[in-house]
Amino acid sequence: MANMRSIRTRIKSVKNTQQITKAMKMVAVSKLRRAQSAMQTMTPFAEKSQEILDTLLSGSTVPENRFISPKKEIKRVCYVLFVGNRGLCGVYNSSLMHFMQSIAEDDGRDISLVICGRWGKDVIARSGLPVRRSFTELSDTPSSVEALEISEYLKTLYLNDETDEIHLVYQHYISALRQEPTQTQLLPAKPEKLRENAAGKDYLFAPDASEVLESVMQLYINNKVYSVMLEAKCGEHSSRMTAMTAATDSTKTLIDSLSLALNRARQAAITTEISEIVGGAAALKKKK
């Protein structure tokens, strides 16, 4: 009887957990849809700004710009790490952290980190990675205002010669079931690919080539940071959705297993009672 009572208690506990994981899955799905919608809206702007930059840098004459010209010597490198706001999303944060640690081990230069997200303060502290600043008040669907705060800070770091290069480290969103740790250089800006149709061409800038390129660079940096933030958030929400789906399925399997154990215990108890009744009846018959 005690065994049956403990099994029933366990089933009730697992069912409560199942309700929680189901709710967390639905919340993750809702947040993922909002983040995907924002990312789909933002992607054309980010791609077009990258295309404009690639075209300008592929021309025969490229005007001087403070965000393009590399430093004479690269001694200090800043990595911007986009982690999640919380856990319970599978290996999303841990795999990104391992990726960042491997980058830090391979990079022999003086490095520093800018953390975007609330996850893993203790984990990051134990890793020994030098954290310059943390942006912990980021929402689950980042806005352009939040991205602008980060991009302005990174521009200031670069222009004040506090760092010689800036790289973004995040989970590249491939699909709802797959994300891949990625590193991309933000500053100094460089083309992703050379535009063949731009090679050998001279452009007419109005009012001035330097002013136009400066405006393009400001737009490019802001859009790049914002698109990476949205991509990272889509990866976080999809990872949490997948993890909670797996957890819900596991609770269902466990409930089925516990229900089977409960039925067996109940059947054993009934069989024992029947045996005791039959035994008692036989004993009374012998007395008569």
Side-chain angles (χ1 to χ4, degrees), residues 212-231:
V212 172
L213 188 57
E214 177 69 19
S215 298
V216 169
M217 286 309 305
Q218 295 283 351
L219 182 65
Y220 164 78
I221 295 169
N222 296 342
N223 285 347
K224 185 72 173 178
V225 171
Y226 188 30
S227 63
V228 165
M229 286 177 67
L230 291 173
E231 195 170 344

Side-chain angles (χ1 to χ4, degrees), residues 77-83 93-107 109-115 119-134 169:
V77 182
C78 178
Y79 291 97
V80 187
L81 184 63
F82 292 87
V83 296
N93 290 311
S94 58
S95 65
L96 186 62
M97 194 64 200
H98 288 314
F99 180 68
M100 183 65 247
Q101 287 178 312
S102 66
I103 292 174
E105 290 171 2
D106 295 337
D107 196 331
R109 298 167 294 186
D110 181 17
I111 71 166
S112 61
L113 259 66
V114 173
I115 307 297
W119 176 85
K121 289 182 180 179
D122 296 336
V123 176
I124 296 170
R126 287 197 301 269
S127 70
L129 295 171
V131 177
R132 179 188 292 269
R133 182 174 173 179
S134 297
V169 180

